[in-house]
Amino acid sequence: MKMGRPTVSKKFFVTAAGDTRIHSWWNSGDLQPLPADVDRLQGLIPTVAIIDEAELVPFDAFWTLRQGAGKRPVSLTILIGTPGPELDNALYRWRTLVGEGAPGRYLEMAAPATCEVLDESAWEAANPAMVAGFLRRDVIADEAAVAMLDPDAELAFRMYRLGQWPD
């Protein structure tokens, strides 16, 4: 008899109505959303911490999670985000630190800084979701056309669609 992978319902269990935690039966782990608040993150020792929209998260919240995760033999802290207009955030600071030689990794999917707004190969470099078919090319083309007409729209397009920091 060949054993297949268990279905999602056999791997995870929501503990109670209103509870934001999801329990994983197969590894006795819990998944839960947490606020980007140092006081609420202090003392956590996560195996994996995924920080989405890290361009909006204060650096000290990221650092608190990273230090807690370091108390496990194997742990991982992942930042995910898109460049934004502010540079005082976890994503930009980590990018800078790794660029200055801090141990760790940083992967950036961005168009070349000197690219033209209408360069479709630049759109593809910064948007793997477009290449995979999840993000429509015509939507980006419309946004690029507007970006050609307005400097604020161009800055936003370069950040959010081309992955370019405003530094």
Side-chain angles (χ1 to χ4, degrees):
M1 178 171 135
K2 185 176 178 180
M3 296 291 290
R5 294 178 125 175
T7 64
V8 171
S9 63
K10 291 182 180 177
K11 284 185 172 186
F12 300 104
F13 175 73
V14 176
T15 54
D19 191 349
T20 59
R21 291 174 297 166
I22 298 174
H23 182 74
S24 168
W25 293 113
W26 62 276
N27 70 356
S28 295
D30 288 318
L31 303 168
Q32 65 187 70
L34 297 169
D37 179 304
V38 172
D39 292 336
R40 300 278 305 274
L41 299 173
Q42 197 70 41
L44 288 177
I45 305 173
T47 304
V48 177
I50 301 172
I51 302 169
D52 194 14
E53 303 298 347
E55 75 279 7
L56 302 173
V57 173
F59 182 76
D60 59 346
F62 157 66
W63 202 249
T64 298
L65 271 175
R66 184 174 165 86
Q67 288 178 325
K71 296 174 184 173
R72 289 193 181 271
V74 178
S75 61
L76 181 63
T77 305
I78 300 171
L79 296 169
I80 302 169
T82 304
E86 303 296 326
L87 302 181
D88 187 17
N89 60 67
L91 187 61
Y92 186 79
R93 294 265 306 269
W94 184 246
R95 174 186 189 255
T96 302
L97 288 168
V98 170
E100 292 173 351
R105 295 184 183 147
Y106 181 82
L107 172 64
E108 185 167 87
M109 288 179 255
T114 58
C115 75
E116 296 294 324
V117 168
L118 297 175
D119 181 353
E120 291 190 30
S121 66
W123 304 350
E124 291 176 359
N127 294 283
M130 185 179 75
V131 176
F134 296 107
L135 182 60
R136 293 183 16 212
R137 184 177 298 272
D138 63 318
V139 170
I140 295 180
D142 288 347
E143 292 175 6
V146 174
M148 295 295 296
L149 302 173
D150 181 86
D152 291 334
E154 181 180 352
L155 178 62
F157 184 83
R158 287 188 175 280
M159 286 185 298
Y160 304 129
R161 290 300 192 201
L162 297 181
Q164 298 172 342
W165 288 95
D167 62 351

